[in-house]
Amino acid sequence: RAVRTCPQNRLYWMWLNAISKDTGHSPEDLHDYFGTKWLPQIVVKMFDGDLLDKNQSTTQLNTAEFTAYLDKIQIFASAELGIILPNPEDLYFEQMVDYYADKF
């Protein structure tokens, strides 16, 4: 069960920066929004016995789970926001990498 890869994480933050540029929301707020929307809820038992409900962290996702999470973001961005997020295989992907190089 391999955890998400560094290239997956870089793609994720590049996409968040692209969405941020078009929507005005910070990448960090978008990270929290998408996490709340699509990451599984987990319950953590605290030191005093209280239970803390929170979303699973993206750092805990394996590569397949993170790919599914990225797919949801890409579909949402296209369908709901009209933002086309490129995949690494796309012809203009390198241009996007260069454009957002200083932002992630």
Side-chain angles (χ1 to χ4, degrees):
R1 193 181 132 111
V3 296
R4 69 170 189 202
T5 65
C6 288
Q8 280 181 312
N9 194 50
R10 283 193 302 273
L11 177 65
Y12 174 60
W13 284 98
M14 183 174 39
W15 282 1
L16 293 181
N17 276 290
I19 296 168
S20 173
K21 184 174 181 347
D22 285 354
T23 65
H25 296 290
S26 74
E28 293 77 16
D29 286 346
L30 292 166
H31 172 69
D32 291 340
Y33 173 77
F34 292 133
T36 299
K37 193 169 182 69
W38 291 307
L39 291 176
Q41 282 281 313
I42 58 174
V43 177
V44 177
K45 188 172 184 177
M46 301 302 292
F47 53 86
D48 61 359
D50 284 348
L51 300 178
L52 172 65
D53 292 325
K54 65 179 197 168
N55 290 94
Q56 184 176 13
S57 169
T58 59
T59 62
Q60 298 168 321
L61 300 178
N62 65 33
T63 54
E65 292 166 337
F66 201 74
T67 296
Y69 180 65
L70 289 173
D71 289 345
K72 290 176 183 175
I73 293 170
Q74 189 174 39
I75 291 166
F76 176 85
S78 176
E80 300 297 324
L81 305 174
I83 299 170
I84 305 302
L85 300 171
N87 291 311
E89 305 83 33
D90 294 341
L91 294 176
Y92 64 100
F93 183 76
E94 287 302 319
Q95 292 171 330
M96 186 174 181
V97 169
D98 292 342
Y99 182 79
Y100 289 105
D102 63 336
K103 297 175 176 61
F104 61 96

